[in-house]
Amino acid sequence: MNLPVPGNPDKVQPDSFAFDATSEVEIAKALARYPAERKASAVMPMLYIVQDQMGRLTGSAWIPVVAMDEIARRLEIAPIRVYEVASFYFMYNRNPIGTYHLQVCTTTSCWLRGSDDVVAACKKATGISNFGETSADGKFTLTEVECLGACSNAPILQVDNDFYEDLDGPRTEALIEALRRGERPEPGPTIDRCGSAPEGGRRTLLEDAVAVAGIPQGQG
Ligand code: FES
């Protein structure tokens, strides 16, 4: 029997779940990282594999209960040990979401650098009113998240597993419109920045290290 998804009563939990061939390749890689008797440690990558498969096959990257049960079976652990991990970490979606998961960081660095503008642009471009909602067309879910560990390139909008950095309102709207058209812009900085180096290029350690140390060329 299909059961309603808590908090999302118009959706239902599927009756069954099976990993596809793409996921099996990823599962083999995940299990290879741990001794056989410690394979329970693969629970986090396995949850990601389920979420990615659901996104690929259904357009909604979430983790049904039957999939958690399947992980428990594969790892030979009690289902509760999978449920407790999935419910502890915010990056696992236990409810169906939109095609694109917009996760806006509003913690200090991002807030100081304009996350309010990013949030406003997300709402304007999707029609979503509040965090936790999905757009009427089912394409976007908007979530507020804590620091994503990319503060040097704040403000950050994570879309599914990709980080879009150094955003402002107009660039956020343009990104969402591109997603709506089915495009996937290159993740990373959206300004003149290489990686997490300063805007406009390097400002320190400009001298050649070998020349500064006085080492003759060829011996450094
Ligand atoms: S505060 Fe936003 S990534 Fe750290």
Side-chain angles (χ1 to χ4, degrees):
M1 182 181 76
N2 285 330
L3 296 171
V5 175
N8 215 334
D10 54 329
K11 307 279 184 183
V12 292
Q13 294 277 352
D15 280 332
S16 61
F17 175 88
F19 288 109
D20 68 2
T22 302
S23 292
E24 291 292 354
V25 171
E26 296 306 314
I27 290 169
K29 287 186 207 165
L31 292 178
R33 295 187 201 121
Y34 307 100
E37 68 275 18
R38 294 278 185 269
K39 64 182 175 182
S41 300
V43 64
M44 293 186 72
M46 294 279 278
L47 285 165
Y48 268 127
I49 290 167
V50 168
Q51 194 160 273
D52 287 347
Q53 176 173 319
M54 289 295 287
R56 262 196 330 288
L57 301 187
T58 72
S60 179
W62 69 295
I63 303 172
V65 172
V66 282
M68 291 190 251
D69 293 342
E70 177 62 11
I71 291 174
R73 193 185 68 78
R74 296 287 288 263
L75 297 182
E76 299 180 87
I77 55 178
I80 186 63
R81 294 187 60 195
V82 184
Y83 303 165
E84 62 193 9
V85 173
S87 58
F88 181 81
Y89 293 102
F90 72 84
M91 65 274 200
Y92 298 125
N93 305 314
R94 290 176 298 122
N95 286 308
I97 61 166
T99 310
Y100 301 101
H101 193 189
L102 307 177
Q103 300 151 85
V104 191
C105 174
T106 58
T107 308
T108 313
S109 299
C110 286
W111 176 65
L112 288 169
R113 294 263 299 172
S115 64
D116 286 353
D117 295 338
V118 175
V119 172
C122 286
K123 290 179 177 176
K124 181 179 169 197
T126 62
I128 291 172
S129 304
N130 299 297
F131 289 123
E133 292 181 355
T134 296
S135 58
D137 60 6
K139 281 193 179 299
F140 301 98
T141 295
L142 182 62
T143 302
E144 182 178 39
V145 297
E146 301 293 333
C147 180
L148 292 165
C151 318
S152 61
N153 292 31
I156 308 291
L157 172 62
Q158 182 178 350
V159 180
D160 306 328
N161 296 328
D162 293 331
F163 280 19
Y164 293 90
E165 306 164 352
D166 300 297
L167 285 166
D168 63 6
R171 286 197 293 280
T172 302
E173 284 186 54
L175 168 61
I176 292 170
E177 290 311 321
L179 295 171
R180 194 188 298 284
R181 292 192 297 272
E183 300 167 13
R184 192 76 182 197
E186 189 70 21
T190 58
I191 59 170
D192 176 24
R193 184 201 291 276
C194 179
S196 55
E199 293 180 41
R202 197 164 58 165
R203 295 187 192 151
T204 58
L205 301 175
L206 300 172
E207 303 88 352
D208 183 294
V210 171
V212 168
I215 301 171
Q217 290 292 326
Q219 297 180 28

